Every structure is written in structure tokens, then in C-alpha cells.
Amino acid sequence: MRISDLLAIEDLRLTLLAGDPGREFRGVYITDLPEPGRYLGGGELVLTGLLWRQAPEDSERFVAALAEAGVAALGAGQAWLGHVPADLVAACRAAGLPLVEVPTEVSFRTLAERVMPLLAADVRDALGRHRRLVAAVVEGAGLRELFELTAAELGVTGAVLSASGEVIVGAAGDPVRLAKAYLTAPRLPVLAGEHTIFAVGRGHRAAGWALVCEGDLTGHADLGYELAACVGLERSRTEEGRRVERRLIEQLVVAALAEADVAELNARLRTCGIEAAEPYAIVGATAPRPGATRGPDPATLGGQIVEELLGREVVAAAGADGAVAVVPLRGGTTGELAERLRAGAEVLSVLPDTRLCVGLSGALTGAAALKGGVEESGHARRLAEARAGGVVTSDEIYTHALLLATVPGDVRRSFAARLLSALLDYDRRHQSDLVRTLGVFLDCAGSWHACAEQLHVHVNTVRYRIRRIEELTGRDLSTMADRVDFFLALRDTGPPR
């Protein structure tokens, strides 16, 4: 029942002093306790005779307790003070809490008796509506049909979005902005511009769906919760089939790594929907959450996110080392696949506690290439993890970066410190530029003149600095071995040049 419905009962002669008349409430509670929050469940119309008010500052404290408890509205009687004080009106306006003035001649008991039958009718209507929606889902209604039905039943329009901003059903302007609002909201539902955003299900947001409803539904969120529950029911209906597909992918990968017979692997590929001559790629993924103690493990979450980024067109089997998905290219290229993954990862990067790490193999054909593709995507994924997230393709791993990614971090830091610490100390003491000069000198392939030109100094200055570097480190920069050592130390943990 909405506050506006209450105001429409003429013989009660109620007056709205503050707030939104469209706010819904689902019960009535009468109290004059100064801090009644512990006895409230949220969503109530609280009626008070103002006996708790001894001074103007009491109003702010009383309203704050109601707001924290999630109360829908406040009804204040005139009988005690003869009026509703201005400080209570101001406190309700500041908290966004609707305030209704109840005249002296209307008792709270009379008001409650008038309201309760109407609330009961609302509950009966809601139950009937919910049964019709659930029945439609159980009978096989898809998301599009469900949205058409809810628009008629609830008067709610909007869209369902993936966490990366893909519109799954419905219509929404600027879905990426709305997806980011969903990912970063401290609590849901949240009002984002002209839309109210609800979570669909209870999974991690990075792999979840958002229900975006037009208008402000924060005052009567039950409609959004109801629709979100139905969308979640429809989503979960397909989950059992996806679990079977994940087991098939897992068995395929295990057989490939065990170097099973090619004929067996081709048969397993066909079972997974990929013909022997059809090009495909392997995607490896994890989603570490530093410091997290609850929720899905990195491999499981990484696989769930990849499934969503690729429109739930593939499944990803989670293993001990990460999740693996076999993705048919279907006329596309690995470059296009990488861009699709990067676009989604860019949206998800607004999450402060989750790092998506994805590795992508090159284009493969036939079962014989499967093992190499799984290993290739794994190397690329580990390089993404070393970079603290992102999407790495097979083209990027055949460099020194892959070698560095396989070396433990403490070993890399120790290596860099051993080579560079003397130079860093010298630069700090003398305000010099030896480390930067070293980096530019190596980038210029040891060319004195090119290095001097980039640093905007005389070539003799470069020669002096290089000699000083050699004296401090005991290394010879005319040798390839020492140049490579310095190059790797600077690329891994050296300061920006």
C-alpha cells in the first residue's frame, strides 16, 4: 500500500508534510519510544504521539533510528503538542522519510483498523501475482516473455544486464554505466540516475546479473525483488545442463593433458560441440580476490566470469590451476575474441577487490593441438596474474616477460636489488640520473649518440655516466650478458624511466 492510497481516504483527513507519497508500506507500528529501531523490521508506517520529544534535537535522533531500521514512513499525531513541530519535518526531509500529519480527532487505532484490511488485500494481490509469474517460469516462459508479463502485471519496465554491461533482455540506455553502478554500489538496490538496480541471485557480482528497472523503486522495492527472483529462477533453470557441459570439458582437458589417443580426443571434442576441422581457441582464467575469505575460489569465479563475458555461449571447467574454456571461433579470429574479453574485463576493473586474469591461446584445429593450447593459455594466464590482471594472448608470451612471470616474486626482487641497489643509493645521495640513463642506454641498443639525444645531454655525459655505473656495479656494459641482466632487472621491478 502506498502513502498516496492512505492520503486518499478522505475521512482520515491526513496531510503529507514531507517525502514521497509513492512510498509503499506493508505494516503499521505504534510507538512513543525515543529509539524504537530494535523493534522494527523495515517497511512499516510508524505512528507516534510525539511523547518522546522533549527538545528539538530529539527529532533528528528519532528519525535517524527509523531510517536505519528501514521504516517506510512516519505518522505524527497532533494530540500531545497540538501540531507537528518544524524540527521533525526538517529531520524527515533530510532523511528522505515521508511524514504524515494525523489530526487530533483521528485515533491511531482507527487509522490502523482502516489500513489493515487494505494491506491484507495488497498481500493477496501480491501472492496471486507472484504465483502467476512463477507459474509462467515453470511452464517454460523465457526471459523475454517474463518481461512482457511483468510489464503488464507490475507495471515495471527495464532490462537485465550482465556485469560487463551486455543487455540480456529488455532495453537500457548506456548499459555499461549501469553495469558499473551495479558493481560499485555499497548496497543493492541502488538508484542510478533514472533507474533502480537490483541484484539477480546471491552470487559474486562479477559473474552476476543486474535487474535495471526504470524509475525510482527504492520506496517500494518489493516489485523489483519479485521480478529479480523470477529472473533468477529462469537463470538457474539452465544451470544443471551447464554443469553437465562443464564435466565434459573437464574430461576433455584431462584426456588431452594425459596425451590420450587422437581419435578419442576428436570424439570428445565432438561431444563438446566442436568438429575435428573446426578452429577453436583455449581460454584460461582465474579471478583472485586478495584478502577474501569467503565466496568462490579464483578458478571457479574466473570460469563464471568468462562464461558471462562470452554471452554464456561456452562453459568453463574449473580445475586446481584455473578454469579452462574451449571456444569455437565460428568464422571469427582470436584477435576478435581477445577484444571481446578485454572490453568486458575493462568494465569489471571497477571492482576494487577482484582481479580477472585471462590467458588466450592461438587458433587451433583438431584434437592433436589441444594439449599445446591448454598449456599456452595457462602460460598466458600466469603472465596476466604477474601483471595483476588483464587479458594476455599467446602472441605476448614468447618474450622475456613469460620467463619473468615463472620466477617467484621474491627471487625477482632480490635479483633486481642486487643489480640496482648501488645505483639507486648513488642517485638518492647525489641527485643524479644513473638508473634512468641505464634504461635509456639499453633501450637504444647501446648507442651513445641515440641515448644522448633522448636524454638531451652531450654524448660525453652519457659516456661518463655509463663508466660510473660500471664502477658501482662491477659490470661491463659492453658485454651482452651484463646488458641482459640489467634489462631484466629494470623491466621487472626497476623504477619508471
Side-chain angles (χ1 to χ4, degrees):
M1 183 175 181
R2 290 183 171 86
I3 299 298
S4 58
D5 299 326
L6 188 62
L7 297 172
I9 304 175
E10 294 184 2
D11 58 322
L12 293 179
R13 298 185 299 282
L14 305 176
T15 303
L16 182 69
L17 300 181
D20 177 15
R23 180 76 64 87
E24 284 190 348
F25 65 96
R26 56 173 179 263
V28 177
Y29 184 81
I30 302 172
T31 184
D32 271 305
L33 292 172
E35 294 188 12
R38 72 182 69 179
Y39 304 107
L40 299 167
E44 301 96 339
L45 166 64
V46 171
L47 300 178
T48 179
L50 304 178
L51 297 177
W52 47 265
R53 183 186 178 277
Q54 303 300 315
E57 56 268 21
D58 293 340
S59 292
E60 185 175 349
R61 184 165 53 250
F62 183 78
V63 170
L66 299 186
E68 185 176 355
V71 165
L74 173 64
Q78 295 178 329
W80 178 251
L81 298 177
H83 68 286
V84 176
D87 47 87
L88 181 60
V89 177
C92 286
R93 282 178 179 157
L97 185 69
L99 174 63
V100 176
E101 183 181 57
V102 182
T104 303
E105 58 271 22
V106 177
S107 72
F108 289 162
R109 178 179 177 179
T110 298
L111 193 156
E113 288 175 347
R114 294 292 301 275
V115 167
M116 294 312 293
L118 299 175
L119 288 173
D122 281 353
V123 171
R124 288 193 297 272
D125 289 345
L127 286 174
R129 184 175 62 235
H130 186 69
R131 289 193 189 99
R132 290 191 292 274
L133 292 175
V134 172
V137 173
V138 171
E139 290 169 7
L143 286 178
R144 193 169 302 281
E145 296 171 281
L146 180 62
F147 254 61
E148 291 173 356
L149 180 60
T150 54
E153 289 276 0
L154 307 178
V156 175
T157 57
V160 176
L161 307 178
S162 73
S164 60
E166 177 192 359
V167 178
I168 296 165
V169 67
D174 200 354
V176 169
R177 177 185 65 82
L178 293 169
K180 289 181 177 180
Y182 157 72
L183 290 169
T184 56
R187 295 178 61 185
L188 293 169
V190 66
L191 185 63
E194 299 179 351
H195 297 83
T196 308
I197 303 175
F198 296 83
V200 174
R202 295 182 176 273
H204 194 280
R205 288 191 197 181
W209 286 2
L211 170 65
V212 178
C213 299
E214 292 186 4
D216 183 358
L217 296 187
T218 54
H220 37 94
D222 286 355
L223 297 179
Y225 287 131
E226 189 172 347
L227 178 53
C230 291
V231 172
L233 183 61
E234 166 61 18
R235 184 186 185 187
S236 64
R237 189 169 63 178
T238 63
E239 189 57 29
E240 181 57 39
R242 298 182 70 79
R243 279 195 286 267
V244 172
E245 293 174 9
R246 291 188 191 107
R247 284 196 293 271
L248 292 174
I249 292 293
E250 181 181 5
Q251 292 166 2
L252 171 65
V253 171
V254 169
L257 295 178
E259 298 183 343
D261 180 73
V262 173
E264 177 190 345
L265 291 177
N266 276 323
R268 290 186 180 276
L269 264 179
R270 284 193 295 273
T271 303
C272 296
I274 299 175
E275 294 299 324
E278 184 178 2
Y280 63 93
I282 305 294
V283 174
T286 58
R289 296 181 298 137
T293 57
R294 300 175 59 186
D297 62 85
T300 299
L301 180 57
Q304 292 171 348
I305 293 173
V306 164
E307 290 181 357
E308 293 298 331
L309 293 185
L310 299 181
R312 293 168 72 84
E313 298 167 2
V314 299
V315 295
D321 190 42
V324 175
V326 182
V327 184
L329 294 177
R330 304 279 161 78
T333 66
T334 54
E336 293 168 344
L337 179 57
E339 286 308 308
R340 187 175 178 185
L341 291 167
R342 286 193 178 105
E346 171 64 24
V347 179
L348 295 175
S349 66
V350 300
L351 274 173
D353 63 342
T354 303
R355 298 185 290 111
L356 177 62
C357 306
V358 176
L360 177 61
S361 75
L364 310 168
T365 305
L370 188 58
K371 179 182 179 181
V374 171
E375 293 174 343
E376 195 172 66
S377 68
H379 291 319
R381 191 209 74 231
R382 283 186 282 276
L383 181 53
E385 291 172 347
R387 293 177 177 177
V391 178
V392 175
T393 68
S394 61
D395 294 336
E396 301 175 67
I397 65 174
Y398 297 109
T399 69
H400 67 277
L402 176 61
L403 297 178
L404 288 175
T406 61
V407 177
D410 56 342
V411 175
R412 296 197 309 269
R413 287 189 291 273
S414 176
F415 174 76
R418 187 177 184 87
L419 265 71
L420 302 177
S421 59
L423 304 183
L424 293 168
D425 290 343
Y426 187 90
D427 281 347
R428 278 193 294 268
R429 290 198 310 270
H430 299 87
Q431 302 298 306
S432 57
D433 217 6
L434 295 185
V435 173
R436 179 166 179 263
T437 299
L438 174 61
V440 174
F441 179 73
L442 294 174
D443 286 344
C444 292
S447 169
W448 306 99
H449 292 281
C451 180
E453 189 173 321
Q454 283 202 30
L455 293 173
H456 305 291
V457 297
H458 194 276
V459 68
N460 287 339
T461 302
V462 173
R463 293 181 185 276
Y464 167 77
R465 291 178 182 177
I466 295 301
R467 283 198 302 272
R468 196 77 186 99
I469 289 169
E470 292 175 331
E471 291 169 0
L472 289 168
T473 62
R475 297 295 187 115
D476 182 358
L477 281 166
S478 67
T479 68
M480 180 60 69
D482 285 348
R483 288 189 184 186
V484 169
D485 285 348
F486 278 124
F487 176 85
L488 295 177
L490 288 168
R491 286 302 184 279
D492 185 52
T493 56
R497 299 187 305 280

